[in-house]
Amino acid sequence: MSLLLSTWSFSRPEHESAFARLGPGADPLDAAMHVAEAVEADPEVDSVGYGGLPDASGGVSLDALVMRSPAEHGSAIALTQVRRAAAAARLVMEKSPHRILAGPGADTFAMQHGLPAEEMLAPAARERWEAWRNDPNQDPGQRPWDSGLGRLYRNEGGHDTVCVLAQNDQGLAGVCTTSGMPWKAPGRVGDSPIPGAGLYVHPRYGAATITGTGELVIGNCASFSVVESMRQGAEPSRAIAHLLELVLAEQPVKPEDQLGVIAISPDGHWAAGSLRPGFKYVVTDEQGTRVDSPELVIVDEPIPETAS
Ligand code: GLY
């Protein structure tokens, strides 16, 4: 049985064509990459790739991680010239003896392996950054809310990631790619490219990946902890609930923070959950493709319109 699961409705357009790449013997990473790369290239998506909102200095920096197993993963961090962050991460995994490359070296490595240097800041993202820079009193809160229109931010601020998990007869694979937090301090890196934080895949125990405020989940090794719960016998929904309850208990969660988690067990059970309402996921299986909100929502209060 094949399965494709991803975060946010903006990952919907390429789901069917990606699912078609999950036939017998196919590499599930190819299907996951197909979804992730389409989102990275879409200038309407303001939290990933080319459309991503920049840091406080107006510079875009992109982070990504791809993973098949604890022995097979690659991260590209703080890319400032190469837009195709997921492809750069896959090159690190497949063509380098390392697991993580960051900064100018990551760009250079990706370009040496054929990825182009491109304009990183989309015109709409530049306009929104200029508006933010010209209005220092602007509410800097993060409030991702998926209304199905591609853009997640009701106000300026927020950050969210496209995370994709794919499964077929060859096993599991995952991709996580992001432009990180808008108006972030230059140099800031979130959870997405950190193995075990933004994404973790273990062929025998399952896969999990997270979107939302990276600062809340790095310290809990969040994706690893969801897979570890599954290793101990928890169903994916229980493993996600355990992680989100732990974050709520231990981290300085603000009203505007959001987390969305998706997970698949090796036997094909899957689940999605979020800290608050407003998160959507996309799933394709033999029954077709659905965009849905998770039943598992830990805090019943929506993200406020204005920061407290
Ligand atoms: N979850 C994406 C980030 O915090 O950068």
Side-chain angles (χ1 to χ4, degrees), residues 17 38 41 76 89 116 203 210 228 231 237 290:
S17 53
I210 297 182
E228 175 60 17
R231 186 184 73 77
S237 62
R290 288 90 71 199

Side-chain angles (χ1 to χ4, degrees), residues 44-103:
E44 287 297 311
V45 176
D46 58 5
S47 53
V48 179
Y50 178 47
L53 297 173
D55 68 21
S57 72
V60 174
S61 63
L62 304 179
D63 307 322
L65 162 63
V66 303
M67 189 161 187
R68 293 184 210 278
S69 74
E72 248 193 308
H73 57 92
S75 297
I77 298 182
L79 296 164
T80 58
Q81 298 185 72
V82 171
R83 261 190 223 168
R84 293 177 57 198
R90 187 171 188 171
L91 283 169
V92 173
M93 179 176 83
E94 293 180 344
K95 305 278 186 206
S96 89
H98 309 300
R99 301 278 163 85
I100 299 177
L101 291 178

